[in-house]
Amino acid sequence: CDPFKAFLNNFVPAAPHGAAAIAAARFADPAWLDFRLQGDSPLRGRALGGGDVGAYPGSATGQVLYVSLQGCDENPGTSERRPLATLAKAAAALGPGDTLYVLPGVYREPLVVRTSGTERKPITIRAHGRKVAVLPAVVLNGSWITLAGFRVSAKNGDGVTVGGRDVVLKECTVHHCAR
């Protein structure tokens, strides 16, 4: 924002509190440049007309979900503070355009996705904050899915199985697999 520009309903952190303001805004995952708001962000409903304030308000579709080893499947899963507990519950909630963030940790259950995105609304699954999230196996039976930032270590089987089409793996490491 300067004397010649104004961005209606955008979030502009003021110096010198920029980093703290960004953290307090509770964006989905700045490490992946995802500036949608988490479900419990204080910027929800604060824009003119009751919409959300954000870096790019209204630019992305689909819900943002979170899963953590410390979560609970009774949670809504729409924020880091109230994540789901199991990959199965999180994967079952996914639909076209949705993003699932897997918080850091070593997961014991495989990630199995049976839902498909679309060409215009793919499903995105990422390791939150680009931090280490280890999965024992990944089975992607849906189409139009992007998986990013994971370490997959399958001691008794395949690391990643793809049964759908138009599936993208980015920044993933697969090792110690039986085949």
Side-chain angles (χ1 to χ4, degrees):
C1 206
D2 66 37
F4 305 105
K5 297 177 188 168
F7 299 95
L8 190 60
N9 294 331
N10 272 2
F11 173 80
V12 181
H17 306 292
I22 289 171
R26 310 208 21 80
F27 290 117
D29 193 347
W32 286 102
L33 303 179
D34 187 346
F35 292 100
R36 292 176 288 170
L37 299 177
Q38 292 186 35
D40 59 359
S41 169
L43 300 179
R44 286 241 180 230
R46 298 287 190 173
L48 292 176
D52 294 341
V53 173
Y56 306 101
S59 65
T61 61
Q63 67 179 337
V64 178
L65 296 171
Y66 297 84
V67 64
S68 169
L69 293 170
Q70 290 76 39
C72 173
D73 279 345
E74 301 302 316
N75 286 341
T78 56
S79 74
E80 289 176 76
R81 293 179 180 170
R82 301 200 57 216
L84 297 168
T86 61
L87 294 167
K89 178 85 173 191
L94 291 172
D98 290 350
T99 301
L100 172 62
Y101 284 106
V102 180
L103 278 80
V106 178
Y107 290 78
R108 301 286 178 227
E109 73 174 303
L111 173 64
V112 179
V113 181
R114 294 180 175 90
T115 307
S116 292
T118 67
E119 183 175 8
R120 293 185 187 256
K121 294 182 177 184
I123 292 171
T124 303
I125 304 167
R126 295 176 175 146
H128 187 264
R130 295 181 178 262
K131 294 185 180 163
V132 178
V134 180
L135 305 174
V138 176
V139 178
L140 303 174
N141 286 329
S143 298
W144 297 103
I145 299 171
T146 297
L147 185 78
F150 291 95
R151 189 179 323 163
V152 181
S153 181
K155 295 179 181 162
N156 297 317
D158 295 335
V160 178
T161 304
V162 177
R165 60 183 181 81
D166 297 299
V167 172
V168 176
L169 274 67
K170 294 180 181 179
E171 301 176 35
C172 292
T173 304
V174 181
H175 60 92
H176 295 103
C177 299
R179 296 179 255 180

